[in-house]
């Protein structure tokens, strides 16, 4: 197949449709009519010999062949854009749009409160933050980067460790006044209530563990309250409903203000990793590198 400018143009339209989620919105972004976008995609499909999109009256989605094709060409488009910026003498010029996939807790407690700092630093950049319980369809949703806590699962994305935060065991002063302060993990089995959080992957509560000087002790936590998000976990713990295990990064303010008190501090060596996920590319877009550096800065 001979390469020509029409092929590159068609791939550009494909990328716009994937990012926008519809022919009409892609046309608005590119200054084209919806029929013009549809024709450009049809020409690209004819040229590469595959059907790229499933079309219906309500929505479009990538076919399996279309997804594989887009996975191959998307990094090349980013590389072309970065090469053009570098050729113009602005290697570190951060601009364009960045689509960020986060879990609700990271978005609410860490990223959103500082996002204006990021935008002021890079005035030619816009961001879209969308919350999901999982990474989801990275290609079909046009995601540039995902940021999530936990060990990476099996997938084709490149992963980069951003942080390891400690797991703190916490309670409110009200709770400790009523039930007493545990001195060792075994004390939790005697008259104490735990606030549990559901693991979306299994539907069961996250397991508890206490670590100290290389020793790890699993604990079968029980309680009358179980939630499915960290915001509710923190709020329930603050209300005196029970003892909770919380990531240090999320409760720094509560601990500083005295709304929560860390207990069993000698058993708080367990850590939880924060990873970034993005498509592999020999030339990382400047906007992605700027974002990863910013996240490291705000979680430090």
């Amino acid at each position: 197949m001979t390469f020509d400018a029409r092929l590159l143009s068609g791939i550009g339209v494909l990328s716009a449709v994937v990012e926008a989620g519809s022919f009409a919105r892609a046309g608005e972004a590119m200054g084209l009519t919806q029929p013009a976008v549809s024709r450009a995609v049809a020409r690209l499909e004819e040229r590469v010999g595959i059907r790229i999109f499933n079309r219906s009256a309500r929505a479009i989605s990538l076919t399996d062949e279309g997804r594989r094709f887009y996975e191959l060409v998307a990094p090349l488009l980013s590389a072309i854009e970065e090469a053009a910026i570098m050729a113009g003498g602005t290697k570190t010029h951060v601009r364009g749009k960045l689509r960020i996939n986060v879990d609700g807790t990271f978005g609410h407690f860490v990223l959103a409160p500082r996002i204006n700092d990021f935008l002021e630093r890079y005035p030619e950049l816009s961001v879209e933050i969308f919350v999901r319980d999982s990474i989801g369809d990275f290609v079909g949703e046009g995601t540039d980067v995902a940021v999530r806590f936990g060990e990476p699962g099996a997938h084709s994305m490149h992963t980069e460790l951003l942080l390891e935060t400690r797991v703190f065991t916490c309670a409110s002063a009200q709770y400790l006044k009523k039930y007493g302060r545990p001195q060792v993990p075994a004390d939790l089995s005697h008259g104490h209530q735990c606030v549990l959080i559901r693991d979306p992957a299994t539907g069961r509560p996250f397991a508890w563990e206490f670590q100290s000087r290389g020793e790890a002790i699993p604990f079968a936590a029980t309680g009358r309250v179980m939630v499915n998000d960290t915001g509710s976990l923190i709020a329930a713990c603050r209300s005196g409903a029970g003892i909770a295990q919380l990531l240090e990064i999320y409760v720094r303010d509560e601990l500083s203000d005295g709304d929560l008190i860390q207990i069993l501090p000698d058993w708080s060596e367990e850590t939880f990793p924060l990873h970034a996920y993005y498509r592999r590319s020999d030339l990382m877009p400047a906007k992605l590198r700027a974002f990863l550096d910013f996240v490291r800065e705000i979680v430090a």
Side-chain angles (χ1 to χ4, degrees):
M1 180 175 61
T2 303
F3 177 84
D4 61 31
R6 290 174 298 179
L7 178 60
L8 183 58
S9 176
I11 293 173
V13 173
L14 164 63
S15 180
V17 172
V18 170
E19 181 175 325
S22 75
F23 288 174
R25 288 194 293 271
E28 292 173 1
M30 301 184 72
L32 300 173
T33 64
Q34 179 176 343
V37 172
S38 182
R39 288 194 298 269
V41 171
R43 286 194 296 268
L44 179 63
E45 289 176 324
E46 182 178 359
R47 186 162 183 78
V48 299
I50 62 171
R51 186 180 183 186
I52 296 175
F53 288 106
N54 293 312
R55 301 163 174 84
S56 69
R58 294 185 176 182
I60 61 169
S61 62
L62 287 168
T63 64
D64 291 342
E65 295 86 355
R67 178 173 284 101
R68 286 193 291 268
F69 178 68
Y70 185 69
E71 285 177 339
L72 292 172
V73 301
L76 302 180
L77 286 176
S78 296
I80 292 171
E81 180 181 4
E82 289 302 304
I85 293 173
M86 292 172 64
T90 55
K91 181 179 179 180
T92 59
H93 195 173
V94 178
R95 64 184 182 186
K97 183 177 182 179
L98 188 69
R99 286 176 56 82
I100 308 164
N101 172 319
V102 296
D103 64 76
T105 307
F106 182 83
H108 177 80
F109 285 93
V110 181
L111 183 57
R114 297 292 301 277
I115 196 62
N116 190 55
D117 297 339
F118 185 57
L119 296 176
E120 288 187 345
R121 190 176 302 179
Y122 304 108
E124 295 184 50
L125 182 70
S126 64
V127 300
E128 180 179 353
I129 303 171
F130 58 103
V131 172
R132 291 185 62 102
D133 289 336
S134 62
I135 291 179
D137 186 355
F138 210 94
V139 174
E141 294 177 346
T143 305
D144 291 301
V145 59
V147 181
R148 318 200 76 80
F149 274 104
E151 296 296 339
H155 51 72
S156 60
M157 296 293 104
H158 178 73
T159 61
E160 188 170 327
L161 180 65
L162 300 176
L163 169 77
E164 287 188 312
T165 188
R166 288 180 295 174
V167 179
F168 282 178
T169 307
C170 302
S172 69
Q174 172 189 352
Y175 177 91
L176 296 178
K177 182 178 180 180
K178 183 175 181 179
Y179 294 99
R181 184 169 186 150
Q183 300 301 313
V184 293
D187 290 346
L188 296 179
S189 299
H190 305 292
H192 285 283
Q193 290 289 320
C194 300
V195 183
L196 310 176
I197 183 168
R198 186 187 302 274
D199 182 348
T202 65
R204 298 187 297 273
F206 276 102
W208 283 33
E209 186 174 272
F210 294 94
Q211 293 184 13
S212 177
R213 301 177 182 178
E215 180 184 3
I217 299 177
F219 177 72
T222 60
R224 297 166 59 197
V225 178
M226 182 164 66
V227 300
N228 69 348
D229 74 288
T230 302
S232 298
L233 183 66
I234 295 173
C237 187
R238 288 180 59 179
S239 77
I243 295 170
Q245 286 202 325
L246 300 157
L247 299 186
E248 178 188 6
I249 191 173
Y250 293 148
V251 292
R252 287 172 178 166
D253 290 342
E254 283 77 5
L255 293 171
S256 176
D257 296 341
D259 294 330
L260 289 176
I261 297 170
Q262 184 188 6
I263 62 174
L264 304 173
D266 294 336
W267 292 87
S268 61
E269 293 180 3
E270 181 185 3
T271 61
F272 208 52
L274 178 71
H275 286 93
Y277 301 78
Y278 51 88
R279 288 187 289 265
R280 297 180 183 275
S281 176
D282 293 335
L283 185 60
M284 177 181 287
K287 61 183 180 181
L288 177 54
R289 174 49 58 197
F291 175 73
L292 295 179
D293 290 343
F294 178 74
V295 172
R296 284 196 179 89
E297 177 184 320
I298 64 176
V299 301

